[in-house]
Amino acid sequence: TKFPFLQPPDSRGVKDGMGLLSELGAIEIEDKQLKLTPLGRDLSRIPIEPRFGRMLIEAKKHNVVREVMIVVSGLTIQDPRERPLEKRVQADLLHARFTDQASDFLSLVNLWNYVEAEQSKLSSSAFRRLCKKEFLNYLRVREWQDLMRQLASISKPLGLVAGGPRVDPAGIHKSILAGLLSQIGLR
């Protein structure tokens, strides 16, 4: 059946969307019919960009749901690290401690772990002062935390539960790559 759109979407957009869903393993062609796969059913239950949803589903296999949620939510918001022009060197020095040589994704996880640890020790106003002093945008940090809570809530019915902190760079990267297959380049 055809859906009665008031203004049908551009056919190239539909084709690109179907290509993405096929790439992610959400749909397949069976007997010349398009069919939603079990993975596609799970993706449809996570109301976020399909690439990010695919990363989260893959994270369950590698037992790194918490870390991939951190990355997904961190990529969704504007970077909470600030670099004011007049204090760029200071900001870069403070932010350098979060840098992971393996990838920027792991740097996001390091930043999250630091923020989470500091917030648990400090009062709300002291945490706000710490963010200002360390060139972290407090409102963006809060937005990141809110998004993490929302992701955890909507993912729970699929068994995607953010456990405690884990150190598994390979599992994190494999999970992220599951959502970025067409983004892999040749060296």
Side-chain angles (χ1 to χ4, degrees):
T1 62
K2 297 256 184 209
F3 187 81
F5 286 106
L6 292 176
Q7 286 185 315
D10 180 43
S11 62
R12 284 181 303 199
V14 172
K15 183 180 175 199
D16 290 346
M18 296 301 272
L20 173 62
L21 293 174
S22 178
E23 171 189 315
L24 296 175
I27 58 173
E28 60 187 22
I29 297 175
E30 188 177 285
D31 299 326
K32 297 182 183 179
Q33 292 288 321
L34 252 135
K35 180 182 171 197
L36 193 63
T37 65
L39 179 90
R41 257 187 286 296
D42 287 346
L43 273 177
S44 72
R45 294 175 59 199
I46 306 173
I48 60 174
E49 207 274 328
R51 291 181 190 279
F52 291 154
R54 180 66 181 92
M55 292 175 194
L56 287 174
I57 290 169
E58 186 70 19
K60 183 178 179 181
K61 292 180 188 175
H62 301 285
N63 197 23
V64 289
V65 172
R66 175 188 176 271
E67 286 68 22
V68 174
M69 268 188 199
I70 291 167
V71 171
V72 165
S73 57
L75 292 174
T76 305
I77 63 159
Q78 189 175 345
D79 193 334
R81 295 168 286 193
E82 295 182 324
R83 297 179 69 223
L85 195 56
E86 64 281 356
K87 295 185 179 186
R88 186 154 285 167
V89 174
Q90 280 177 286
D92 288 345
L93 286 172
L94 282 168
H95 297 162
R97 64 196 155 149
F98 308 122
T99 303
D100 190 297
Q101 297 306 317
S103 78
D104 290 338
F105 300 121
L106 299 178
S107 297
L108 273 176
V109 174
N110 293 340
L111 173 59
W112 176 270
N113 289 337
Y114 172 76
V115 165
E116 191 175 56
E118 290 303 306
Q119 190 172 30
S120 69
K121 293 187 273 185
L122 301 171
S123 68
S124 179
S125 58
F127 179 68
R128 187 184 288 262
R129 285 191 302 274
L130 174 87
C131 286
K132 184 176 175 80
K133 185 179 91 176
E134 298 191 3
F135 304 102
L136 300 172
N137 185 299
Y138 175 76
L139 293 177
R140 289 187 207 138
V141 168
R142 290 299 310 261
E143 182 182 8
W144 193 8
Q145 292 170 329
D146 290 343
L147 193 51
M148 270 291 286
R149 276 190 289 280
Q150 290 170 14
L151 272 178
S153 174
I154 63 172
S155 300
K156 198 174 281 188
L158 294 173
L160 300 171
V161 179
R166 290 186 42 85
V167 178
D168 181 5
I172 294 167
H173 288 116
K174 286 176 186 176
S175 300
I176 291 168
L177 282 173
L180 301 175
L181 294 175
S182 64
Q183 307 296 315
I184 300 171
L186 297 174
R187 186 172 180 169

Tab-separated table of all heavy atoms in Angstrom, residues 45-82:
chain	number	residue	atom	x	y	z
A	45	ARG	N	12.495	0.731	17.530
A	45	ARG	CA	12.048	1.017	18.906
A	45	ARG	C	12.944	2.027	19.610
A	45	ARG	O	12.661	2.416	20.745
A	45	ARG	CB	11.999	-0.289	19.702
A	45	ARG	CG	10.912	-1.229	19.136
A	45	ARG	CD	10.898	-2.579	19.789
A	45	ARG	NE	10.682	-2.488	21.226
A	45	ARG	CZ	10.979	-3.465	22.059
A	45	ARG	NH1	11.505	-4.596	21.614
A	45	ARG	NH2	10.752	-3.329	23.346
A	46	ILE	N	14.024	2.436	18.940
A	46	ILE	CA	14.923	3.441	19.522
A	46	ILE	C	14.773	4.713	18.688
A	46	ILE	O	15.269	4.776	17.567
A	46	ILE	CB	16.393	2.969	19.502
A	46	ILE	CG1	16.541	1.606	20.163
A	46	ILE	CG2	17.289	3.990	20.197
A	46	ILE	CD1	17.935	1.016	20.023
A	47	PRO	N	14.099	5.736	19.215
A	47	PRO	CA	13.813	6.925	18.413
A	47	PRO	C	15.003	7.893	18.294
A	47	PRO	O	14.944	9.047	18.707
A	47	PRO	CB	12.643	7.568	19.163
A	47	PRO	CG	12.875	7.176	20.583
A	47	PRO	CD	13.485	5.801	20.540
A	48	ILE	N	16.094	7.376	17.722
A	48	ILE	CA	17.254	8.218	17.454
A	48	ILE	C	17.738	7.914	16.040
A	48	ILE	O	17.229	6.999	15.388
A	48	ILE	CB	18.404	8.007	18.476
A	48	ILE	CG1	18.899	6.559	18.455
A	48	ILE	CG2	17.977	8.415	19.867
A	48	ILE	CD1	20.115	6.310	19.335
A	49	GLU	N	18.692	8.654	15.580
A	49	GLU	CA	19.259	8.457	14.250
A	49	GLU	C	19.656	6.986	14.110
A	49	GLU	O	20.272	6.425	15.014
A	49	GLU	CB	20.474	9.391	14.093
A	49	GLU	CG	20.784	9.797	12.681
A	49	GLU	CD	21.669	8.811	11.947
A	49	GLU	OE1	22.513	8.180	12.589
A	49	GLU	OE2	21.509	8.666	10.727
A	50	PRO	N	19.283	6.316	13.015
A	50	PRO	CA	19.523	4.873	12.896
A	50	PRO	C	20.981	4.447	13.081
A	50	PRO	O	21.248	3.387	13.639
A	50	PRO	CB	19.037	4.535	11.485
A	50	PRO	CG	18.110	5.626	11.112
A	50	PRO	CD	18.552	6.838	11.863
A	51	ARG	N	21.917	5.251	12.630
A	51	ARG	CA	23.339	4.898	12.809
A	51	ARG	C	23.677	4.788	14.299
A	51	ARG	O	24.369	3.877	14.724
A	51	ARG	CB	24.250	5.937	12.161
A	51	ARG	CG	24.191	5.949	10.658
A	51	ARG	CD	25.156	7.005	10.114
A	51	ARG	NE	24.987	7.225	8.713
A	51	ARG	CZ	25.509	6.442	7.759
A	51	ARG	NH1	26.230	5.400	8.100
A	51	ARG	NH2	25.311	6.710	6.491
A	52	PHE	N	23.190	5.750	15.072
A	52	PHE	CA	23.451	5.743	16.516
A	52	PHE	C	22.745	4.567	17.183
A	52	PHE	O	23.285	3.925	18.084
A	52	PHE	CB	23.023	7.058	17.159
A	52	PHE	CG	23.874	8.244	16.782
A	52	PHE	CD1	23.347	9.521	16.817
A	52	PHE	CD2	25.194	8.096	16.399
A	52	PHE	CE1	24.128	10.628	16.488
A	52	PHE	CE2	25.976	9.186	16.057
A	52	PHE	CZ	25.437	10.457	16.099
A	53	GLY	N	21.523	4.304	16.747
A	53	GLY	CA	20.790	3.157	17.292
A	53	GLY	C	21.521	1.855	17.020
A	53	GLY	O	21.609	0.970	17.882
A	54	ARG	N	22.072	1.734	15.824
A	54	ARG	CA	22.825	0.520	15.460
A	54	ARG	C	24.056	0.368	16.348
A	54	ARG	O	24.419	-0.747	16.749
A	54	ARG	CB	23.222	0.590	13.972
A	54	ARG	CG	24.000	-0.617	13.474
A	54	ARG	CD	23.125	-1.859	13.506
A	54	ARG	NE	23.837	-3.034	13.060
A	54	ARG	CZ	24.495	-3.882	13.860
A	54	ARG	NH1	24.510	-3.677	15.174
A	54	ARG	NH2	25.112	-4.933	13.378
A	55	MET	N	24.709	1.477	16.662
A	55	MET	CA	25.870	1.438	17.564
A	55	MET	C	25.467	0.893	18.927
A	55	MET	O	26.180	0.062	19.511
A	55	MET	CB	26.465	2.840	17.733
A	55	MET	CG	27.113	3.403	16.517
A	55	MET	SD	27.615	5.119	16.847
A	55	MET	CE	27.959	5.677	15.193
A	56	LEU	N	24.333	1.367	19.433
A	56	LEU	CA	23.873	0.925	20.754
A	56	LEU	C	23.533	-0.558	20.763
A	56	LEU	O	23.873	-1.276	21.713
A	56	LEU	CB	22.654	1.741	21.193
A	56	LEU	CG	22.929	3.176	21.605
A	56	LEU	CD1	21.618	3.911	21.863
A	56	LEU	CD2	23.817	3.223	22.835
A	57	ILE	N	22.883	-1.029	19.720
A	57	ILE	CA	22.522	-2.450	19.657
A	57	ILE	C	23.783	-3.308	19.606
A	57	ILE	O	23.876	-4.335	20.275
A	57	ILE	CB	21.596	-2.712	18.450
A	57	ILE	CG1	20.229	-2.066	18.723
A	57	ILE	CG2	21.445	-4.196	18.188
A	57	ILE	CD1	19.306	-2.020	17.525
A	58	GLU	N	24.761	-2.876	18.841
A	58	GLU	CA	26.023	-3.620	18.753
A	58	GLU	C	26.771	-3.589	20.084
A	58	GLU	O	27.446	-4.552	20.455
A	58	GLU	CB	26.904	-3.030	17.641
A	58	GLU	CG	28.164	-3.798	17.362
A	58	GLU	CD	27.920	-5.156	16.706
A	58	GLU	OE1	26.843	-5.390	16.144
A	58	GLU	OE2	28.862	-5.986	16.759
A	59	ALA	N	26.637	-2.497	20.822
A	59	ALA	CA	27.332	-2.350	22.107
A	59	ALA	C	26.933	-3.434	23.097
A	59	ALA	O	27.744	-3.842	23.931
A	59	ALA	CB	27.056	-0.967	22.693
A	60	LYS	N	25.699	-3.896	22.989
A	60	LYS	CA	25.237	-4.964	23.889
A	60	LYS	C	26.072	-6.230	23.690
A	60	LYS	O	26.434	-6.896	24.653
A	60	LYS	CB	23.758	-5.247	23.645
A	60	LYS	CG	23.171	-6.277	24.581
A	60	LYS	CD	21.691	-6.468	24.328
A	60	LYS	CE	21.118	-7.516	25.258
A	60	LYS	NZ	19.685	-7.722	25.008
A	61	LYS	N	26.423	-6.540	22.437
A	61	LYS	CA	27.230	-7.733	22.143
A	61	LYS	C	28.614	-7.649	22.777
A	61	LYS	O	29.198	-8.660	23.140
A	61	LYS	CB	27.418	-7.896	20.628
A	61	LYS	CG	26.186	-8.233	19.876
A	61	LYS	CD	26.517	-8.362	18.393
A	61	LYS	CE	25.274	-8.507	17.554
A	61	LYS	NZ	25.600	-8.499	16.113
A	62	HIS	N	29.137	-6.435	22.883
A	62	HIS	CA	30.490	-6.238	23.397
A	62	HIS	C	30.501	-5.807	24.862
A	62	HIS	O	31.563	-5.508	25.411
A	62	HIS	CB	31.227	-5.217	22.532
A	62	HIS	CG	31.336	-5.621	21.097
A	62	HIS	ND1	32.200	-6.591	20.662
A	62	HIS	CD2	30.641	-5.215	20.005
A	62	HIS	CE1	32.063	-6.745	19.355
A	62	HIS	NE2	31.116	-5.930	18.935
A	63	ASN	N	29.310	-5.721	25.469
A	63	ASN	CA	29.175	-5.347	26.878
A	63	ASN	C	29.769	-3.963	27.164
A	63	ASN	O	30.451	-3.757	28.166
A	63	ASN	CB	29.806	-6.417	27.788
A	63	ASN	CG	29.332	-6.294	29.217
A	63	ASN	OD1	28.265	-5.737	29.489
A	63	ASN	ND2	30.138	-6.780	30.142
A	64	VAL	N	29.509	-3.014	26.258
A	64	VAL	CA	30.007	-1.640	26.427
A	64	VAL	C	28.872	-0.629	26.194
A	64	VAL	O	29.092	0.450	25.650
A	64	VAL	CB	31.210	-1.337	25.494
A	64	VAL	CG1	32.455	-2.079	25.927
A	64	VAL	CG2	30.876	-1.647	24.039
A	65	VAL	N	27.676	-0.979	26.631
A	65	VAL	CA	26.513	-0.120	26.392
A	65	VAL	C	26.720	1.259	27.005
A	65	VAL	O	26.455	2.275	26.363
A	65	VAL	CB	25.219	-0.781	26.919
A	65	VAL	CG1	24.051	0.184	26.850
A	65	VAL	CG2	24.917	-2.052	26.142
A	66	ARG	N	27.197	1.320	28.232
A	66	ARG	CA	27.402	2.610	28.897
A	66	ARG	C	28.332	3.501	28.088
A	66	ARG	O	28.035	4.661	27.822
A	66	ARG	CB	27.968	2.398	30.300
A	66	ARG	CG	28.321	3.692	31.019
A	66	ARG	CD	29.067	3.408	32.333
A	66	ARG	NE	29.499	4.621	32.982
A	66	ARG	CZ	30.677	5.208	32.753
A	66	ARG	NH1	31.529	4.697	31.883
A	66	ARG	NH2	31.005	6.317	33.383
A	67	GLU	N	29.465	2.955	27.671
A	67	GLU	CA	30.463	3.749	26.964
A	67	GLU	C	29.948	4.213	25.598
A	67	GLU	O	30.176	5.358	25.199
A	67	GLU	CB	31.763	2.947	26.798
A	67	GLU	CG	32.567	2.804	28.072
A	67	GLU	CD	31.913	1.923	29.140
A	67	GLU	OE1	31.054	1.076	28.798
A	67	GLU	OE2	32.239	2.087	30.325
A	68	VAL	N	29.226	3.353	24.893
A	68	VAL	CA	28.693	3.746	23.585
A	68	VAL	C	27.567	4.758	23.753
A	68	VAL	O	27.435	5.688	22.947
A	68	VAL	CB	28.279	2.512	22.753
A	68	VAL	CG1	27.594	2.919	21.462
A	68	VAL	CG2	29.509	1.664	22.447
A	69	MET	N	26.773	4.638	24.822
A	69	MET	CA	25.757	5.662	25.107
A	69	MET	C	26.416	7.015	25.341
A	69	MET	O	25.911	8.048	24.902
A	69	MET	CB	24.935	5.286	26.342
A	69	MET	CG	23.719	4.520	26.040
A	69	MET	SD	22.723	4.344	27.542
A	69	MET	CE	21.718	2.969	27.038
A	70	ILE	N	27.536	7.002	26.048
A	70	ILE	CA	28.283	8.246	26.297
A	70	ILE	C	28.713	8.855	24.971
A	70	ILE	O	28.544	10.058	24.744
A	70	ILE	CB	29.511	7.975	27.201
A	70	ILE	CG1	29.071	7.620	28.612
A	70	ILE	CG2	30.467	9.155	27.200
A	70	ILE	CD1	30.177	7.037	29.493
A	71	VAL	N	29.250	8.030	24.088
A	71	VAL	CA	29.730	8.523	22.791
A	71	VAL	C	28.566	9.026	21.944
A	71	VAL	O	28.614	10.133	21.391
A	71	VAL	CB	30.534	7.435	22.044
A	71	VAL	CG1	30.833	7.856	20.616
A	71	VAL	CG2	31.817	7.107	22.785
A	72	VAL	N	27.503	8.230	21.849
A	72	VAL	CA	26.351	8.617	21.037
A	72	VAL	C	25.753	9.930	21.536
A	72	VAL	O	25.499	10.846	20.751
A	72	VAL	CB	25.291	7.489	21.020
A	72	VAL	CG1	23.950	7.983	20.512
A	72	VAL	CG2	25.783	6.321	20.182
A	73	SER	N	25.527	10.033	22.826
A	73	SER	CA	24.947	11.275	23.355
A	73	SER	C	25.935	12.427	23.224
A	73	SER	O	25.545	13.563	22.953
A	73	SER	CB	24.485	11.098	24.798
A	73	SER	OG	25.543	10.676	25.626
A	74	GLY	N	27.233	12.151	23.371
A	74	GLY	CA	28.248	13.189	23.211
A	74	GLY	C	28.352	13.701	21.787
A	74	GLY	O	28.634	14.877	21.555
A	75	LEU	N	28.113	12.837	20.817
A	75	LEU	CA	28.150	13.252	19.412
A	75	LEU	C	26.896	14.017	19.011
A	75	LEU	O	26.886	14.743	18.026
A	75	LEU	CB	28.313	12.029	18.499
A	75	LEU	CG	29.639	11.296	18.569
A	75	LEU	CD1	29.598	10.030	17.728
A	75	LEU	CD2	30.781	12.193	18.118
A	76	THR	N	25.830	13.842	19.777
A	76	THR	CA	24.556	14.472	19.466
A	76	THR	C	24.511	15.931	19.905
A	76	THR	O	23.832	16.738	19.283
A	76	THR	CB	23.412	13.684	20.142
A	76	THR	OG1	23.512	12.326	19.713
A	76	THR	CG2	22.062	14.216	19.758
A	77	ILE	N	25.245	16.260	20.946
A	77	ILE	CA	25.229	17.634	21.461
A	77	ILE	C	26.454	18.398	20.967
A	77	ILE	O	27.391	17.818	20.425
A	77	ILE	CB	25.224	17.654	23.010
A	77	ILE	CG1	26.514	17.018	23.553
A	77	ILE	CG2	23.985	16.982	23.557
A	77	ILE	CD1	26.856	17.420	24.949
A	78	GLN	N	26.442	19.687	21.192
A	78	GLN	CA	27.620	20.507	20.906
A	78	GLN	C	28.681	20.192	21.964
A	78	GLN	O	28.355	20.009	23.133
A	78	GLN	CB	27.242	21.982	20.941
A	78	GLN	CG	28.332	22.894	20.443
A	78	GLN	CD	27.865	24.344	20.374
A	78	GLN	OE1	26.677	24.638	20.438
A	78	GLN	NE2	28.816	25.243	20.255
A	79	ASP	N	29.934	20.121	21.559
A	79	ASP	CA	31.027	19.762	22.467
A	79	ASP	C	31.008	20.656	23.710
A	79	ASP	O	30.998	21.876	23.592
A	79	ASP	CB	32.365	19.919	21.734
A	79	ASP	CG	33.527	19.279	22.460
A	79	ASP	OD1	33.477	19.139	23.700
A	79	ASP	OD2	34.516	18.928	21.791
A	80	PRO	N	31.002	20.059	24.903
A	80	PRO	CA	30.968	20.863	26.125
A	80	PRO	C	32.301	21.554	26.444
A	80	PRO	O	32.348	22.447	27.275
A	80	PRO	CB	30.600	19.863	27.222
A	80	PRO	CG	30.943	18.533	26.676
A	80	PRO	CD	30.876	18.634	25.183
A	81	ARG	N	33.364	21.160	25.776
A	81	ARG	CA	34.659	21.802	26.006
A	81	ARG	C	34.695	23.142	25.300
A	81	ARG	O	34.389	23.228	24.122
A	81	ARG	CB	35.795	20.908	25.512
A	81	ARG	CG	35.897	19.603	26.300
A	81	ARG	CD	36.810	18.628	25.651
A	81	ARG	NE	36.130	18.065	24.470
A	81	ARG	CZ	36.542	17.004	23.809
A	81	ARG	NH1	37.638	16.383	24.173
A	81	ARG	NH2	35.869	16.559	22.776
A	82	GLU	N	35.070	24.161	26.044
A	82	GLU	CA	35.147	25.507	25.481
A	82	GLU	C	36.598	25.913	25.307
A	82	GLU	O	37.461	25.492	26.083
A	82	GLU	CB	34.442	26.509	26.393
A	82	GLU	CG	32.954	26.264	26.498
A	82	GLU	CD	32.253	27.289	27.352
A	82	GLU	OE1	32.833	27.749	28.350
A	82	GLU	OE2	31.108	27.621	27.012
